[in-house]
Amino acid sequence: EERLAKEEKERKCKEEENSAKVTKEKEKTKQKEKQRQIAEEEPQSIKESKRKGTKAIEKQTESKSRHNKSKVDTSEHADSPIPQHHTNIVIDKEELIPPEEEEEQLSVTAYIDLLDSFRKFRVIDLSAGDATSDQIVTLIDKLETSKKVRYLRRLLLNGCLLAKGSAVTRIAKFIRRRDCKLAALDLSWCGITSEGIRELATALVYAKSLLALNLEGNEISASGLSAIASSLKRHRTITNLGLANNIFGDKGVKVLVENIKRHPSLIYLDLSTCEITKVGLTSICNNLLGVLEGTEETEEGELIIKGKPASSIIETLVLNQNELHDGGLIIGDGLLVTETLKSLQLQNCEFSAEDAVCIAEAVTQREDSPLTELDMRRNELSIEGEIALNDIALSNPQIRVKWRTEEREFTPEDIAAIVDHYEASDILHNLLNSETLEPLIDNHSLLSLMHVEDEALLTEFVEDAFFSEEESYEIFTNGLDILYSLVKKEDTMNGFIDDDFEEVDDEELLIPVNEEPLTILQEFVAELITPFLERLEIDDIDDKQTPFGPIPQLGLAKLKIVELLCLVVDLDCSPKVVEHLLDGNAPLIILKMLCKYHQHSVFHQLALYFIRLCLRVKPLREALFSKFGILEFIVVKATEEWQKPAPERKSYSGILLVLAQSVERMEFEPFVRKQLKKNK
């Protein structure tokens, strides 16, 4: 409710801000309209005098500026080591005026109207796509007549249909201006014709300040791309080029990469969905990444790579949604020699597991690979391809590898392939030391589907996890997590409390003792119950000191031990498990812990779950009443706590009531009914 109230408050604040903004714009429009009316009503003589006065002020300012410049040139600082051209810089005072807030997106008419005022725009964003060709021409004309061309840095027209009219011609003319300082031009999905592309390509040579150009989705053909490529050979400052969703194919991309292979500034290139095949991919890799001549391995096992890196400084290469099947070897050869590529995006390129293996081998072979990101999502990769890509992430943690878009369901065959590749002993050893196989597979999904029945392997694991001379608390808790997943045998990790005590019928409430022969894993788990119960009685964590006195700390290891005991009783309650639980006084230890850690509500729920499980298993149920005195415990503790005022009661006092109700629930069983009659 607090969160909803907060969201409602934020929503109202946003509405008020938007309303205030709209009101402010309306007031500005009214004021501007009023000034226009006053100007129209002024006599012609007054207008003429104002015009002459303005010109006189401009001349006076110009003469002062010349006088000041001559002073600077003849001053005592003229002989200083500062270069002469620095002293001749004239700073326009209007450049010092900070631009107004321009993050808001306005309509084209609003931009045109506001250019009549003192408003200067560094960004004009018409990406909503509702501006027509004629309106954009009018907007550019207004920029020029208002002398505000030099302030504009980003012009975003993506989605505006410019096929009809003269907008493209006007834009091409605009970016050729000497005072145009445009750094980013977005003309994606504008329906530009081939003639318009050629006009832009011609003008591109003169747009020296342009750093980013996006021409996505304009159906640029090979001939159109050839014109752009020729201009890029002369335009040496552009850094980002977007050409996705065009139709130039292998022929066009070959011309492009041959023209930009020595470009000194281009670091980002997007060629997604451009009908490129393995033929075009070869041109891209040879010209932008480099040419591999061969590899040799020394006697010491060191790999020597022979090849010629490309002169290109490309850092991000986007090739998504092109048919690059069987192109993994070509990309791998390029990755072996490239010196600049940091991000390679290959989504939905019809790559197979073999392609993924070739790419992964190339990356893992290089210790000095510049690559930091590899994206191969939406490709049909089998488990072999996923394992190969996961090896990149394990061997080079600085490389972010992505190949999966959603949760994957692993089959026993997949798990067998993973275990065969990484080996079961290494998997368990690494998991003990917190080294996982993610992002390939999470720990629980892997362990729950693994069949670990090798006695030597389990012996080594148990000794390393629980009986090592150099005992580690982290390794101990990791070992408990591993055992829990191996025993649970489910592909999804539910909550650690899976208590259905209040949901099932009386007949289903009873849990039979499993008389079937135990597996090797079950034997190991049963033998571990006794040392685990001994661990529960050891204080392995210092008490927490508070103003009200020390508070005992339960610790994660004890919580996980009780969790594992509950799981074993619920799933594999064999005579051997029952024997070890009774010999170790497990119910009594849990009840004592319930009182000792009286502020640990999570453990209280877990303790209740364990006692309920004991009530459901016949030998444990009988021991609860006859050996451990469950009824006497409830009476003594409940009498002690419930006589106190509510604020002074310990937090487990509520659990006592639920525990009493759980005992009453078992009254249908003759032994429990008899015990309840004895202790009314």
Side-chain angles (χ1 to χ4, degrees):
E1 289 175 356
E2 290 177 358
R3 180 175 60 80
L4 292 174
K6 185 178 179 181
E7 290 177 355
E8 181 66 20
K9 186 177 179 181
E10 290 176 354
R11 185 184 65 78
K12 288 182 178 179
C13 289
K14 286 183 180 179
E15 288 179 355
E16 290 175 0
E17 289 176 2
N18 293 334
S19 178
K21 192 179 293 184
V22 172
T23 305
K24 187 177 179 181
E25 291 294 337
K26 287 182 179 178
E27 289 177 356
K28 284 184 179 180
T29 307
K30 287 181 181 179
Q31 188 176 3
K32 182 179 61 177
E33 186 64 30
K34 187 176 180 180
Q35 290 174 353
R36 186 180 297 153
Q37 290 176 0
I38 293 171
E40 290 174 355
E41 292 172 359
E42 284 181 346
Q44 186 65 27
S45 59
I46 296 177
K47 290 181 181 179
E48 186 66 23
S49 64
K50 283 186 177 181
R51 185 178 62 81
K52 289 180 179 179
T54 304
K55 284 189 175 181
I57 292 170
E58 288 176 354
K59 287 182 180 180
Q60 186 179 1
T61 305
E62 187 177 354
S63 64
K64 284 183 179 180
S65 177
R66 285 198 297 270
H67 178 65
N68 291 336
K69 283 168 63 178
S70 64
K71 275 187 177 181
V72 171
D73 292 338
T74 58
S75 67
E76 59 181 355
H77 299 288
D79 296 329
S80 65
I82 300 176
Q84 188 66 26
H85 65 274
H86 282 194
T87 61
N88 290 332
I89 294 175
V90 180
I91 299 176
D92 193 333
K93 290 182 180 180
E94 291 186 351
E95 287 282 4
L96 301 178
I97 301 174
E100 298 180 36
E101 186 65 33
E102 293 156 5
E103 292 303 324
E104 55 183 334
Q105 188 176 11
L106 305 175
S107 64
V108 63
T109 53
Y111 281 117
I112 293 172
D113 291 341
L114 290 171
L115 283 170
D116 283 330
S117 64
F118 292 103
R119 186 77 177 265
K120 301 176 182 65
F121 290 101
R122 295 178 67 85
V123 179
I124 292 181
D125 186 358
L126 296 173
S127 56
D130 55 354
T132 64
S133 179
D134 293 338
Q135 286 176 322
I136 290 172
V137 172
T138 305
L139 174 64
I140 295 175
D141 290 341
K142 181 63 68 174
L143 274 168
E144 293 180 348
T145 56
S146 62
K147 298 182 180 180
K148 296 175 181 175
V149 174
R150 57 182 169 173
Y151 301 109
L152 188 63
R153 296 293 181 267
R154 298 171 63 201
L155 182 58
L156 312 178
L157 303 177
N158 42 314
C160 300
L161 297 179
L162 308 180
K164 298 179 181 179
S166 58
V168 176
T169 304
R170 192 69 186 85
I171 293 170
K173 185 179 178 181
F174 176 74
I175 64 176
R176 293 170 68 115
R177 291 175 59 103
R178 287 189 176 182
D179 59 345
C180 180
K181 306 298 181 184
L182 202 64
L185 178 61
D186 190 348
L187 297 174
S188 57
W189 303 101
C190 289
I192 303 175
T193 61
S194 54
E195 182 181 351
I197 292 295
R198 284 191 290 271
E199 289 185 18
L200 287 172
T202 304
L204 189 60
V205 179
Y206 302 93
K208 300 299 183 183
S209 62
L210 192 65
L211 301 177
L213 176 63
N214 189 1
L215 295 173
E216 178 182 357
N218 285 296
E219 297 187 1
I220 300 174
S221 62
S223 59
L225 187 62
S226 177
I228 295 172
S230 300
S231 298
L232 288 174
K233 197 171 184 179
R234 298 169 59 190
H235 190 287
R236 314 298 284 171
T237 58
I238 195 164
T239 60
N240 292 43
L241 181 61
L243 295 170
N245 290 283
N246 285 295
I247 57 174
F248 45 77
D250 295 334
K251 183 179 179 181
V253 81
K254 181 180 179 182
V255 176
L256 173 68
V257 296
E258 287 177 352
N259 279 275
I260 65 173
K261 63 183 179 181
R262 292 185 177 86
H263 199 285
S265 304
L266 189 64
I267 59 174
Y268 178 93
L269 180 61
D270 187 355
L271 298 173
S272 301
T273 321
C274 289
E275 301 181 4
I276 302 172
T277 66
K278 192 167 72 169
V279 176
L281 180 64
T282 304
S283 300
I284 293 171
C285 292
N286 289 343
N287 288 280
L288 300 184
L289 302 185
V291 178
L292 178 69
E293 297 174 355
T295 59
E296 289 183 3
E297 189 172 346
T298 63
E299 295 179 356
E300 293 78 15
E302 182 182 354
L303 184 69
I304 299 176
I305 300 171
K306 296 181 179 180
K308 184 179 180 182
S311 301
S312 166
I313 63 167
I314 198 78
E315 293 182 0
T316 301
L317 182 60
V318 186
L319 299 174
N320 300 332
Q321 296 185 350
N322 287 296
E323 297 180 4
L324 305 179
H325 182 67
D326 293 336
L329 184 59
I330 299 171
I331 294 175
D333 290 348
L335 291 175
L336 281 172
V337 294
T338 181
E339 294 180 345
T340 61
L341 190 66
K342 295 180 180 179
S343 175
L344 179 60
Q345 300 183 30
L346 302 169
Q347 292 189 44
N348 196 15
C349 291
E350 300 184 6
F351 283 124
S352 62
E354 290 75 13
D355 294 318
V357 170
C358 292
I359 294 172
E361 286 179 351
V363 176
T364 53
Q365 283 176 349
R366 280 192 66 178
E367 295 181 358
D368 61 341
S369 175
L371 198 68
T372 59
E373 181 184 23
L374 176 63
D375 190 347
M376 294 192 67
R377 288 175 292 180
R378 298 181 178 88
N379 288 291
E380 296 295 329
L381 305 176
S382 63
I383 190 63
E384 288 77 14
E386 294 190 39
I387 289 173
L389 294 177
N390 194 65
D391 286 343
I392 298 177
L394 295 179
S395 61
N396 298 283
Q398 75 276 9
I399 302 178
R400 184 173 57 179
V401 187
K402 295 180 282 188
W403 67 84
R404 194 180 299 153
T405 56
E406 57 186 17
E407 290 296 326
R408 188 187 192 285
E409 292 186 2
F410 291 91
T411 64
E413 291 76 17
D414 294 336
I415 300 299
I418 294 173
V419 174
D420 183 62
H421 181 79
Y422 293 107
E423 297 187 2
S425 59
D426 290 341
I427 291 173
L428 293 178
H429 176 76
N430 291 335
L431 291 180
L432 272 179
N433 292 277
S434 303
E435 298 174 8
T436 70
L437 289 181
E438 293 179 343
L440 175 62
I441 187 172
D442 65 275
N443 296 349
H444 181 72
S445 299
L446 172 63
L447 294 169
S448 63
L449 293 173
M450 280 180 63
H451 295 284
V452 183
E453 295 298 332
D454 187 317
E455 186 173 352
L457 175 62
L458 284 172
T459 301
E460 181 184 358
F461 162 72
V462 168
E463 289 178 354
D464 291 343
F466 309 117
F467 303 105
S468 175
E469 294 181 0
E470 300 177 358
E471 184 177 344
S472 167
Y473 192 84
E474 181 183 3
I475 290 178
F476 189 91
T477 54
N478 288 345
L480 290 170
D481 283 334
I482 293 171
L483 273 183
Y484 185 90
S485 297
L486 289 173
V487 173
K488 194 171 178 65
K489 292 297 179 190
E490 291 183 8
D491 57 355
T492 57
M493 190 69 169
N494 299 322
F496 61 84
I497 298 178
D498 191 15
D499 192 359
D500 58 354
F501 188 84
E502 297 177 357
E503 300 172 4
V504 299
D505 298 332
D506 292 348
E507 293 76 12
E508 298 176 356
L509 201 58
L510 302 179
I511 298 176
V513 176
N514 182 17
E515 300 291 347
E516 296 181 3
L518 299 181
T519 63
I520 296 176
L521 176 62
Q522 290 172 336
E523 289 275 1
F524 269 85
V525 173
E527 293 295 335
L528 285 170
I529 290 177
T530 299
F532 283 167
L533 290 173
E534 293 173 357
R535 179 71 180 242
L536 291 178
E537 296 187 289
I538 298 174
D539 293 330
D540 51 2
I541 297 182
D542 296 335
D543 294 348
K544 182 178 180 180
Q545 302 299 325
T546 69
F548 306 100
I551 298 177
Q553 298 298 293
L554 178 67
L556 188 60
K558 291 181 180 178
L559 195 68
K560 291 182 178 294
I561 287 174
V562 179
E563 181 184 353
L564 180 62
L565 293 178
C566 292
L567 182 68
V568 171
V569 175
D570 196 2
L571 298 183
D572 298 319
C573 192
S574 62
K576 199 167 188 177
V577 169
V578 172
E579 178 186 351
H580 284 291
L581 288 173
L582 294 179
D583 291 346
N585 297 324
L588 182 60
I589 292 173
I590 299 299
L591 291 174
K592 287 181 178 179
M593 292 175 67
L594 181 67
C595 302
K596 181 177 181 179
Y597 305 105
H598 57 84
Q599 291 190 339
H600 204 298
S601 58
V602 174
F603 173 72
H604 296 167
Q605 295 295 329
L606 200 56
L608 175 65
Y609 180 33
F610 180 79
I611 298 300
R612 280 177 164 179
L613 287 171
C614 291
L615 287 171
R616 298 171 67 174
V617 179
K618 183 177 179 180
L620 296 176
R621 178 171 60 249
E622 293 178 354
L624 265 179
F625 289 93
S626 59
K627 182 178 180 180
F628 302 117
I630 182 69
L631 294 179
E632 290 77 5
F633 171 83
I634 295 174
V635 170
V636 171
K637 292 299 179 181
T639 303
E640 178 183 335
E641 291 299 321
W642 295 350
Q643 287 179 350
K644 300 176 183 177
E648 298 179 9
R649 295 176 187 172
K650 293 182 178 178
S651 57
Y652 68 82
S653 60
I655 292 293
L656 295 174
L657 175 61
V658 183
L659 192 56
Q661 292 170 341
S662 302
V663 173
E664 286 186 334
R665 170 79 201 279
M666 297 297 299
E667 195 174 3
F668 70 91
E669 207 276 328
F671 178 82
V672 176
R673 188 164 56 249
K674 181 179 178 182
Q675 295 297 320
L676 288 174
K677 286 182 179 180
K678 285 183 179 180
N679 193 334
K680 297 181 181 180

